[in-house]
Amino acid sequence: MDRFFGRGFKILTFIIEKTVYAGALLAFISITVLWMIWMERKVSAHMQQRYGPMWTGGWHGWSQTIADMIKLLLKEDVIPDKADKWVHRIAPIVIFVPSLIGFLVIPFRRTL
């Protein structure tokens, strides 16, 4: 294959493959977190004998978690006047990327 396309093609396919893996992993983690929050709300509502998230938003409150997710994504980010704006914006990325990379090194398939 290197004879026809060269080494650049191999590097490009590697980068695309790892990007797709990272996207799939991020989607899996996001869906799992949404499901776990939904289940925690259901159990808490049953234990506390309250309706709350159990009946809000359809069958057993399934859309309440999605509504909360949308609310948090659309919230305004308030940066204090004396804070370093660059550090304030980059801090979540600095925390999230290493944890995502930790999951990316887990082998999901057997390579020859």
Side-chain angles (χ1 to χ4, degrees), residues 2-112:
D2 288 338
R3 182 172 52 158
F4 296 112
F5 298 110
R7 183 165 166 76
F9 181 74
K10 198 172 196 179
I11 293 171
L12 182 64
T13 56
F14 177 79
I15 291 171
I16 291 172
E17 179 184 6
K18 296 307 174 192
T19 304
V20 169
Y21 286 159
L25 182 64
L26 188 60
F28 174 76
I29 291 171
S30 299
I31 291 171
T32 303
V33 166
L34 284 174
W35 182 79
M36 291 164 82
I37 290 171
W38 179 54
M39 293 307 290
E40 188 269 334
R41 285 186 175 184
K42 282 181 61 170
V43 169
S44 294
H46 281 299
M47 287 174 30
Q48 298 169 8
Q49 296 177 352
R50 61 183 171 89
Y51 291 114
M54 277 297 293
W55 299 106
T56 306
W59 180 74
H60 287 274
W62 67 271
S63 63
Q64 182 67 43
T65 303
I66 295 171
D68 285 344
M69 178 188 68
I70 292 170
K71 177 189 75 169
L72 288 173
L73 288 174
L74 296 178
K75 268 187 138 175
E76 180 182 358
D77 186 18
V78 178
I79 302 173
D81 290 333
K82 295 186 179 187
D84 189 359
K85 290 175 180 33
W86 184 81
V87 173
H88 188 80
R89 291 188 189 274
I90 201 78
I93 297 168
V94 170
I95 296 299
F96 178 73
V97 168
S99 64
L100 180 64
I101 290 172
F103 279 104
L104 286 177
V105 298
I106 299 172
F108 289 105
R109 65 181 179 144
R110 184 176 169 175
T111 58
L112 299 176

